[in-house]
Amino acid sequence: MYDIIIAGAGTAGLSAAVYGARAGKRVLVLEKEVYGGQIMSASVVENYPGIRKISGYEFAQGLYEQAMEQGAEIKYEKVQKIQDSESYKTVHTSLSAYDSRTVILASGAKNRHLQVAREEELTGKGISYCATCDGAFYRGKDVAVVGGGNTALEDALFLSGYCRKVYLIHRRDQFRGEKRLQDSLREKEHVIWVLESHVAALNGTGYLESVTIEQEPDKGKKELAVSALFIAIGQEPDNQPFASLVELDAHGYIKAAEDCRTSAEGIFAAGDCRTKTVRQLTTAAADGAAAALAACAYIG
Ligand code: NAP
């Protein structure tokens, strides 16, 4: 019997593991892929208080090691179902089942897709959701980034370091991403702004060769010859396995407030998977701490 099982080894999940293990609880983290979560694909993090500059990979590695050193366990198994027997919960995974007094859901969010024809077919063949993972394959080539948030701006900046041309496609002429990033991009002549535009088609035989852009307001079409399109249009939750266990909001996020308590006793939600207005590294780490301490208080 574990005290705390944490579903997800991103920043929220690993922060919860640090706090839970330090409180002397028996903690198991279950992760379906690799530890680290979304921050692993950030080339650089410059807004985590107290750390001036660190790569996303280095941040995740440090957090993982910290959680393991404190005594948390990790297993690489996908959580498929959680059975709530009131005094304890049974977490069913792809390989086994584990009992625990409490569960912290820290399942994060997955990349939003453009929903344009051939997007799945061309993923890995020019379509990518991670510039830091795949950008190096396109050294000296022309590429495009779609999106208007910090991720898209950071991706464009990162790719501008070694791609010949970077088109930045955004559906509006205003960005959600930070002004500092916009200003850095404006200084680069080989970054081309394609605003008030949608990606209407993905073209190529086998691999992506160009994207068709539809421009507002006249719906005029234009073709951009690119070897890659980096899609950075935000995330959406992946909470369907928990839909019958805890209440979700209209967008599929787990309903939980700052104390991370869900509608089910002994089940907590931390990080990007829960309803909240700000989804940042700092808020994910803060949620991990709040959820673990709430779980400890619940156990008594
Ligand atoms: P985001 O802030 O939600 O931005 C998503 C962008 O994609 C928006 O500009 C949105 O356009 C656009 N978009 C959404 N759906 C679209 C669609 N179907 N077609 C075309 N465009 C679409 O997502 P994010 O950039 O991934 O950032 C997520 C969170 O992480 C944010 O809070 C961000 O600040 C944070 N973040 C922080 C850092 C950092 O601080 N270093 C780095 C990366 C991310 P509209 O603007 O028109 O809605």
Side-chain angles (χ1 to χ4, degrees), residues 47 148-151 154 170-172 176 233-234 279-280:
N47 59 0
N150 273 341
T151 305
E154 284 186 356
H170 180 37
R171 63 185 177 184
R172 294 188 295 139
R176 282 172 197 265
I233 58 168
R279 291 191 170 82
Q280 294 278 307

Side-chain angles (χ1 to χ4, degrees), residues 12 17 24 27 60 67-68 92 99 117 134 143 158 160 163 187 189 212 222 227 240 242 269 296-297:
V27 176
M68 296 303 114
H92 297 266
D99 291 335
D134 300 331
V143 301
F158 175 73
S160 73
C163 292
E187 285 168 10
E189 281 179 9
T212 305
K222 190 162 99 176
S227 306
Q240 273 320 304
F242 317 127
C296 291

Side-chain angles (χ1 to χ4, degrees), residues 13-295:
L14 290 176
S15 300
V18 169
Y19 272 76
R22 277 179 70 80
K25 303 300 180 203
R26 192 167 175 226
V27 176
L28 171 65
V29 182
L30 294 167
E31 167 57 52
K32 66 178 188 307
E33 289 168 354
V34 289
Y35 64 78
Q38 285 178 53
I39 200 61
M40 287 281 269
S41 55
S43 53
V44 61
V45 177
E46 291 179 322
N47 59 0
Y48 194 88
I51 300 176
R52 282 193 190 145
K53 194 170 189 169
I54 191 168
S55 73
Y57 174 82
E58 210 183 331
F59 178 88
Q61 186 65 25
L63 182 52
Y64 166 78
E65 286 169 9
Q66 197 177 5
M68 296 303 114
E69 280 164 15
Q70 298 291 341
E73 279 175 61
I74 189 163
K75 290 181 195 283
Y76 294 95
E77 299 173 26
K78 183 175 165 51
V79 173
Q80 290 178 327
K81 196 176 78 171
I82 298 171
Q83 229 173 313
D84 191 351
S85 310
E86 292 192 5
S87 60
Y88 71 96
K89 331 283 171 197
T90 306
V91 180
H92 297 266
T93 72
S94 40
L95 296 176
S96 193
Y98 305 94
D99 291 335
S100 180
R101 291 187 169 83
T102 64
V103 172
I104 297 176
L105 304 172
S107 52
K110 60 183 178 186
N111 292 318
R112 184 175 289 133
H113 287 206
L114 270 179
Q115 313 284 5
V116 172
R118 303 191 63 202
E119 186 172 356
E120 313 301 324
E121 175 202 333
L122 293 170
T123 294
K125 297 170 182 165
I127 298 291
S128 169
Y129 298 87
C130 179
T132 30
C133 317
D134 300 331
F137 296 124
Y138 302 97
R139 190 175 291 274
K141 303 257 167 74
D142 295 347
V143 301
V145 175
V146 57
N150 273 341
T151 305
L153 298 181
E154 284 186 356
D155 284 359
L157 208 52
F158 175 73
L159 293 163
S160 73
Y162 48 80
C163 292
R164 192 173 58 175
K165 252 187 225 169
V166 179
Y167 295 99
L168 179 56
I169 305 163
H170 180 37
R171 63 185 177 184
R172 294 188 295 139
D173 61 356
Q174 301 289 315
F175 287 85
R176 282 172 197 265
E178 291 171 9
K179 187 174 176 304
R180 182 186 59 84
L181 293 169
Q182 295 177 44
D183 292 345
S184 302
L185 283 167
R186 286 211 168 83
E187 285 168 10
K188 301 191 183 284
E189 281 179 9
H190 64 305
V191 173
I192 297 145
W193 304 71
V194 185
L195 302 182
E196 298 182 274
S197 300
H198 296 267
V199 175
L202 305 169
N203 317 306
T205 315
Y207 284 83
L208 184 75
E209 290 163 12
S210 70
V211 297
T212 305
I213 299 302
E214 194 174 84
Q215 287 171 308
E216 300 290 351
D218 57 354
K219 307 271 182 220
K221 291 206 170 142
K222 190 162 99 176
E223 199 163 324
L224 306 176
V226 289
S227 306
L229 174 68
F230 292 90
I231 299 172
I233 58 168
Q235 285 84 36
E236 50 196 14
D238 197 7
N239 291 327
Q240 273 320 304
F242 317 127
S244 59
L245 183 73
V246 290
E247 267 181 55
L248 305 184
D249 69 16
H251 304 286
Y253 291 98
I254 300 165
K255 278 193 186 173
E258 291 302 308
D259 60 7
C260 297
R261 288 174 196 277
T262 69
S263 56
E265 287 283 310
I267 297 181
F268 305 86
D272 287 3
C273 66
R274 81 165 174 94
T275 305
K276 50 163 61 194
T277 47
V278 179
R279 291 191 170 82
Q280 294 278 307
L281 198 55
T282 43
T283 57
D287 268 16
L293 295 176

